């Protein structure tokens, strides 16, 4: 089931946890680099549709990739990736990643902090073959991770890279839900960067596209983005992307 379908189903769910709790369980996966090793990683156990209303909604990235626990790390090799993305490493990529890790990770050193894991994660992904969509999503996930660490410079750098790639993607053919997603994110990022007129232009395109959306898969997403679009004007240039929370938005996802 794709992410939009999951989003649609959860948005239409009526039973939400009153504590807005997310839970994890630990599992093992094969280390993509050290073939005989196993990696202890976390996987989601439970969550609710409330995750789609947390501040990462302005990046359109969602728990679990917004948390430190969403970074899978292999202590033997130093390999790092977001959970669920350990499988598609080719032999060529494996060799390149192993060479990178041999220069940037010392086996047996203490568990790296989240900042170091993000550094290793970026280094590993830079040596993987990613589609344009995965690259854009990766940059937005990294941006939110760095922002929650208080590294606004790194967050803004990844958002600018994502925005550049989104602008290119919007000139081509995209499925309806993806175009809606990119129009919203472009409008949000441009407003954060003080590009107000560009943001307004993308917001106008977004609202027009929401009105004309026809795909059954997009129905729940149309309602959701229509509500989010009303908050775009609350984004202030500079600093964190998400505007100050209203009382009904209070939570913790980091």
């Amino acid at each position: 089931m794709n992410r939009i379908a999951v989003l649609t189903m959860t948005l239409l769910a009526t039973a939400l946890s009153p504590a807005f709790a997310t839970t994890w369980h630990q599992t093992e996966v094969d280390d993509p680099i050290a073939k005989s090793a196993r990696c202890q990683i976390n996987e989601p156990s439970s969550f609710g549709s409330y995750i789609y209303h947390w501040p990462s909604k302005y990046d359109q990235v969602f728990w679990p990739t917004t948390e430190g626990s969403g970074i899978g790390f292999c202590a033997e090799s130093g390999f790092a990736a977001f959970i669920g993305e350990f499988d598609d490493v080719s032999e060529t990529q494996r060799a390149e990643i192993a060479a990178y890790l041999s220069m940037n990770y010392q086996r047996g050193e203490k568990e790296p902090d989240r900042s170091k894991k993000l550094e290793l994660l970026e280094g590993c992904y830079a040596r993987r073959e990613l589609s344009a969509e995965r690259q854009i999503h990766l940059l937005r996930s990294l941006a939110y991770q760095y922002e929650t660490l208080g590294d606004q410079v790194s967050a803004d750098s990844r958002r600018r890279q994502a925005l550049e790639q989104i602008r290119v993607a919007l000139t081509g053919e995209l499925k309806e839900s993806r175009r809606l997603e990119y129009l919203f994110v472009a409008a949000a990022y441009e407003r954060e960067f003080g590009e107000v007129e560009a943001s307004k232009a993308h917001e106008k395109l977004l609202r027009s596209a929401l009105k004309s959306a026809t795909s059954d898969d997009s129905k729940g997403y149309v309602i959701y983005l229509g509500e989010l679009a009303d908050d775009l004007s609350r984004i202030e240039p500079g600093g964190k992307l998400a505007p100050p929370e209203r009382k009904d938005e209070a939570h913790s996802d980091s």
Side-chain angles (χ1 to χ4, degrees):
M1 184 178 294
N2 64 38
R3 184 174 64 84
I4 297 301
V6 172
L7 174 62
T8 301
M9 290 176 64
T10 54
L11 286 171
L12 296 177
T14 57
L16 303 182
S17 165
F20 302 112
T22 55
T23 61
W24 303 84
H25 66 272
Q26 195 168 74
T27 188
E28 283 190 347
V29 297
D30 291 330
D31 188 324
I33 308 305
K35 291 186 177 181
S36 61
R38 299 278 285 173
C39 314
Q40 297 286 334
I41 66 169
N42 295 303
E43 284 193 345
S45 292
S46 63
F47 66 97
S49 62
Y50 43 82
I51 68 171
Y52 300 111
H53 295 277
W54 289 351
S56 65
K57 64 188 177 184
Y58 293 98
D59 289 287
Q60 281 296 282
V61 294
F62 306 102
W63 186 89
T65 59
T66 54
E67 286 196 31
S69 297
I71 301 171
F73 174 73
C74 297
E76 179 72 15
S77 66
F79 179 83
F82 285 118
I83 56 176
E85 297 190 350
F86 274 62
D87 298 332
D88 56 344
V89 182
S90 69
E91 287 299 325
T92 299
Q93 294 168 41
R94 182 175 289 111
E96 293 179 358
I97 292 170
Y100 161 77
L101 291 172
S102 69
M103 300 293 291
N104 293 275
Y105 176 74
Q106 181 65 46
R107 187 178 66 182
E109 65 185 49
K110 69 177 182 178
E111 177 88 2
D113 61 16
R114 179 155 58 122
S115 181
K116 178 62 176 180
K117 286 181 180 178
L118 285 172
E119 177 189 325
L120 294 170
L121 180 147
E122 283 200 81
C124 291
Y125 274 112
R127 290 154 180 84
R128 299 176 67 173
E129 295 175 4
L130 304 181
S131 66
E133 286 188 3
R134 282 187 70 189
Q135 179 65 28
I136 291 170
H137 190 268
L138 171 64
L139 288 166
R140 287 150 48 199
S141 299
L142 287 167
Y144 190 78
Q145 286 268 355
Y146 279 119
E147 188 172 80
T148 58
L149 282 173
D151 187 350
Q152 197 64 45
V153 171
S154 293
D156 287 347
S157 171
R158 276 57 175 186
R159 286 189 180 124
R160 287 191 183 279
Q161 292 177 60
L163 177 58
E164 181 179 340
Q165 293 181 33
I166 284 172
R167 285 169 169 165
V168 172
L170 285 169
T171 65
E173 292 294 322
L174 292 169
K175 65 180 181 180
E176 187 173 74
S177 57
R178 190 70 68 210
R179 182 169 296 278
L180 294 174
E181 174 187 348
Y182 285 178
L183 286 170
F184 173 81
V185 173
Y189 284 6
E190 286 162 346
R191 187 168 284 275
E192 185 199 16
F193 297 143
E195 301 173 23
V196 178
E197 293 307 312
S199 176
K200 288 181 178 178
H202 275 122
E203 182 182 348
K204 183 177 180 180
L205 289 172
L206 171 63
R207 292 187 183 278
S208 176
L210 289 172
K211 288 180 180 178
S212 61
T214 58
S215 171
D216 287 342
D217 289 342
S218 299
K219 286 181 179 179
Y221 200 44
V222 166
I223 296 171
Y224 173 68
L225 282 186
E227 295 174 351
L228 288 190
D230 292 337
D231 276 346
L232 284 169
S233 61
R234 297 176 56 224
I235 298 173
E236 299 178 358
K240 289 188 175 182
L241 174 65
E245 293 181 346
R246 297 189 298 258
K247 289 182 178 179
D248 62 338
E249 296 175 326
H251 82 290
S252 174
D253 72 340
S254 57

